[in-house]
Amino acid sequence: MNTSVLTKVPHRWRYIGFVTFACVLVYTTFHYMQVPAGKMDYVLERTGVPADRILFFDESNEQISNRIHGIDNFESNLPRIQFDFSEESENSKHVRETRRDAIKSSFLHGWNGYKKYALGADELKPLTNTSSNPFGGLGATMIDSLSTILVMGLDDELEELLPLIENIKVKVDEQMSVFETIIRYMGGLLSAYELSDHPGKRVLLDKAEEIGLALLPAFDTTYGLPHYHFNPFTRVSKTNTTYLADAGTIQLEFFTLSYHTGNLIFAEKAQAITDFLDSADESQGVTVPGLYPYAIDISEGEFNKDSSVSFGAMGDSAYEYFLKQYILVDGRIPQFARMCTYNLKELHTCFAPGMLAMGAKIFNRPDDMQVAKGLLDTCVHMYRSSYTNLSPELWGVADEVEAYDPLTYEQIDDDLTAARSWRLWGTGYLNPTESAETRVLKDVETTPSGVIAYDTRYLLRPETVESLYILYRITGDPVYREYGWVIYEGLEKHCRTSSAYASIKNVNTDGTESGQNQIDSMETFLFAETFKYLYLLFSPPEVVSLDKFVLNTEAHPLLRRPWTLNLKNNNKP
Ligand SMILES: *[C@@H]1O[C@H](CO)[C@@H](O)[C@H](O)[C@H]1NC(C)=O
Ligand SMILES: *[C@@H]1O[C@H](CO)[C@@H](O)[C@H](O)[C@H]1NC(C)=O
């Protein structure tokens, strides 16, 4: 890795904190009308709305499940993202398939534990075999697992779940995170609807729409910016502060929901937010166009000037979605491309390499690809240099370490052992009253490797394996598969329990009996994301091709299609 690249790599890091969100009950009826055979477009008709408001790509004669394997007619107008892979050797195919099958069995181990002890609840507690409901109790693990089930070809599992899904009550009487509800539940349902050939799959779309309608009142604010938390039953929210990630990470789901239901209200709500961000200026607290402070007062329509411009917790996935919306509609809405501005110094999380690398291909920015590779090496280093081969939840690299030198694949075990001299902040949790950044700056000089772990837990997070999947598909470099396998082995060795998988207290502890180092918690993204990305890393490259799909921020694949909505501003160049 060359040093000029490394100097661009930011020296301080923060892991992600996914956050939150949320409209007017307008209900309209639509129907699709097919244009004469031979033409590629459908036209949507709706009373009072110009017939050309949604333009569709014709997919009527295709078996959707074939699309997972790239067997379809879709050819993108955008530059190709994936590497031009040549045929694999028998030997590498054998290794790849063995690994892929192992990952699938691991998924099934956790999934069967959830089904046995927690089916219908949000999460299984993997040590006590009990359940918990942090997401309103709609069955978050079940819904978040659907697209992985279909990608892995476990269609019979879906069959069993459809009646349960049909019975979910969405209007729960509690404050729900609008963002989490949309990315996990709505995203999971829409993706499964797109990926399944099941004749009863309409249930999935109907439930996604029901959730959308229940959340619409949360968007009924002066600027259309959704509430962060919202009670769909009482329609009350307790705060007027929201975060960039919460407002800016619903667009893929709302656009897709409008596409399938023909109900444009969702896309309109999503677009209003995009337009708000697009036009925000200095008077609203945006000093550099395109770079937003992370906190927003939704009643004033202003950014909180004390909140920094952040690609870390609370901000990052909005930038991810500017790019992904553009890809979703296959480049037909130029506004989304224009909004893809990044501050490379502020890229904090380990999904960023994947985002940068995809943007590098779409917009032909080779420098971003180099940065992406450097960032990803650093993220992987955090896994490979720990005793468990799992990365801490929050960590930093000292400002004082001028050119931080991530260990690379070639390095041998001794080097990795030497790199284990992290400064630890005890076992467990970050003290929320002290910012991570302050801690790094205060106590850094005694850390030989320059690495500080200020939250030593591993929560089964996917960001690094997400970037590995994307970088592998883009570069074809087998090193990314090897990295992924090391991470999988760490997860299997340290997180597995008798019924599922558990989070870890301290990733850098040697010799701890695995049970003692485990936490009784299994987040849904293990199923939605971590196992899916690992599985895809060891699948043939045409499976969930980046040239056919775009994955939402919870790793639910959505079909790319050249389509557009003639909403207010979105064709502005
Ligand atoms: C949890 O379930 C597994 C698998 O069924 C079982 O082996 C284990 O003993 C159970 N643990 C507890 C605490 O009940
Ligand atoms: C949010 O803003 C609205 C409109 O300004 C106001 O009526 C409401 O009381 C505010 N809510 C909170 C929790 O501050």
Side-chain angles (χ1 to χ4, degrees), residues 244-347:
L244 180 63
D246 293 78
T249 319
I250 60 160
Q251 284 72 9
L252 292 183
E253 296 79 3
F254 270 26
F255 264 62
T256 303
L257 185 57
S258 281
Y259 179 89
H260 288 295
T261 60
N263 189 347
L264 294 195
I265 186 75
F266 304 107
E268 283 166 356
K269 294 297 178 190
Q271 187 60 34
I273 299 165
T274 306
D275 290 341
F276 171 86
L277 295 173
D278 198 9
S279 64
D281 59 20
E282 221 166 329
S283 71
Q284 290 159 290
V286 178
T287 46
V288 183
L291 297 179
Y292 307 98
Y294 65 80
I296 316 174
D297 181 323
I298 62 171
S299 68
E300 302 295 328
E302 281 177 11
F303 290 85
N304 178 340
K305 296 183 182 63
D306 297 332
S307 66
S308 60
V309 172
S310 171
F311 281 81
M314 302 178 179
D316 44 23
S317 49
Y319 297 92
E320 174 190 352
Y321 266 33
F322 295 146
L323 172 65
K324 288 186 170 178
Q325 288 176 84
Y326 184 66
I327 296 175
L328 181 78
V329 298
D330 208 49
R332 298 303 165 99
I333 301 182
Q335 179 193 26
F336 302 155
R338 187 165 44 73
M339 294 179 75
C340 293
T341 310
Y342 312 120
N343 179 353
L344 294 182
K345 285 217 165 75
E346 291 290 338
L347 292 171

Side-chain angles (χ1 to χ4, degrees), residues 127-171:
L127 297 179
T128 53
N129 298 341
T130 55
S131 62
S132 66
N133 286 308
F135 297 104
L138 279 62
T141 293
M142 171 172 74
I143 304 294
D144 233 6
S145 300
L146 295 175
S147 65
T148 304
I149 283 171
L150 291 166
V151 165
M152 291 183 175
L154 301 164
D155 297 46
D156 291 352
E157 297 284 333
L158 178 72
E159 166 101 26
E160 270 180 56
L161 301 175
L162 288 175
L164 274 174
I165 294 169
E166 191 166 14
N167 285 327
I168 292 173
K169 302 272 177 291
V170 306
K171 284 196 182 170

